[in-house]
């Protein structure tokens, strides 16, 4: 009786270990396949008129395709790819990486242009701020935002003068009270 119980426990433990090993093997095979496809995307020359990866493709491949499009200079197609990743994910790591890459793409475009670069810097800073709201511990995004703020500083005086209401608008008037009643 005792021997049968020991063999039964050993059999159950062996089946559990085999199941875990099978699951890990399948996950490794899937990851190796994704890595091979990402390496193929990175090695292939991307044309400027290329389109982003289809939505049915794994999110990792969509991110790799959008990054390749961005590096090739097809910024409109890369923007579509990044936007699809950001909208589809609720701030998962791939959506956060897409936000980071999108912000960097805008900043690189702004640095490449001499005239009219300010809107691109503002878009890049906004994307990096969105990322930092979702993930405040992202030091790469903090660093890039600081660099963007040094390249295109914000004029706080202009904002504060416009946002402050006139002195008369701040005065509170309460019916039934005379101006000297309240301290």
């Amino acid at each position: 009786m005792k021997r049968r119980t020991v063999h039964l426990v050993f059999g159950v433990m062996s089946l559990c270990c085999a199941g875990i090993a099978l699951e890990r093997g399948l996950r490794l095979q899937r990851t190796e396949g994704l890595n091979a496809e990402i390496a193929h995307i990175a090695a292939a020359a991307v044309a400027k008129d290329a389109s982003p990866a289809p939505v049915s493709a794994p999110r990792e491949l969509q991110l790799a395709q959008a990054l390749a499009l961005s590096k090739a200079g097809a910024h409109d197609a890369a923007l579509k790819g990044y936007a699809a990743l950001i909208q589809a994910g609720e701030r998962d790591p791939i959506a956060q990486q897409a936000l980071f890459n999108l912000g960097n793409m805008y900043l690189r475009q702004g640095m490449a242009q001499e005239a009219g670069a300010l809107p691109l810097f503002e878009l890049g800073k906004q994307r990096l701020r969105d990322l930092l709201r979702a993930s405040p511990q992202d030091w790469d995004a903090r660093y890039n935002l600081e660099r963007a703020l040094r390249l295109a500083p914000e004029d706080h005086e202009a904002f504060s003068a416009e946002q402050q209401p006139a002195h008369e608008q701040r005065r509170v008037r309460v019916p039934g009270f005379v101006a000297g009643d309240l301290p």
Side-chain angles (χ1 to χ4, degrees):
M1 182 72 178
K2 195 173 195 178
R3 182 180 276 176
R4 185 176 292 171
T5 307
V6 169
H7 287 303
L8 182 64
V9 169
F10 179 73
V12 169
M13 295 292 284
S14 297
L15 282 175
C16 289
C17 289
I20 291 171
L22 179 65
E23 186 266 333
R24 298 290 173 149
L26 290 174
R27 187 185 301 175
L28 178 65
Q29 185 179 11
R30 179 181 178 269
T31 303
E32 286 177 347
L34 280 174
N35 286 343
E37 289 183 46
I38 289 171
H40 181 272
I41 288 171
V46 178
K48 286 212 180 228
D49 60 345
S51 63
V55 179
S56 61
R59 292 175 55 79
E60 294 89 353
L61 291 180
Q62 292 177 27
L63 181 65
Q65 180 69 25
L67 182 62
L69 288 168
S70 175
K71 286 182 179 180
H75 299 295
D76 292 335
L79 173 65
K80 289 177 186 174
Y82 288 137
L85 287 169
I86 293 168
Q87 289 174 355
E90 286 91 31
R91 301 295 183 235
D92 64 344
I94 293 177
Q96 290 179 355
Q97 188 65 40
L99 260 176
F100 181 75
N101 290 346
L102 183 59
N104 288 341
M105 182 181 77
Y106 282 135
L107 294 177
R108 273 190 242 107
Q109 281 181 302
M111 288 189 300
Q113 289 183 2
E114 302 216 356
L118 189 60
L120 292 171
F121 280 119
E122 292 302 319
L123 286 170
K125 289 189 286 189
Q126 186 59 44
R127 295 302 171 254
L128 291 173
R129 284 185 181 119
D130 293 342
L131 174 60
L132 286 172
R133 275 189 210 98
S135 175
Q137 71 278 8
D138 193 343
W139 288 100
D140 293 331
R142 285 177 185 256
Y143 177 77
N144 288 356
L145 180 59
E146 182 180 338
R147 294 277 314 259
L149 287 169
R150 287 185 184 187
L151 289 171
E154 296 176 348
D155 188 14
H156 292 290
E157 296 168 1
F159 290 123
S160 63
E162 292 174 4
Q163 292 176 352
Q164 286 186 356
H167 183 64
E168 292 80 29
Q169 293 174 345
R170 283 188 277 157
R171 190 165 293 165
V172 177
R173 294 187 179 104
V174 180
F177 283 95
V178 180
D181 287 346
L182 297 176

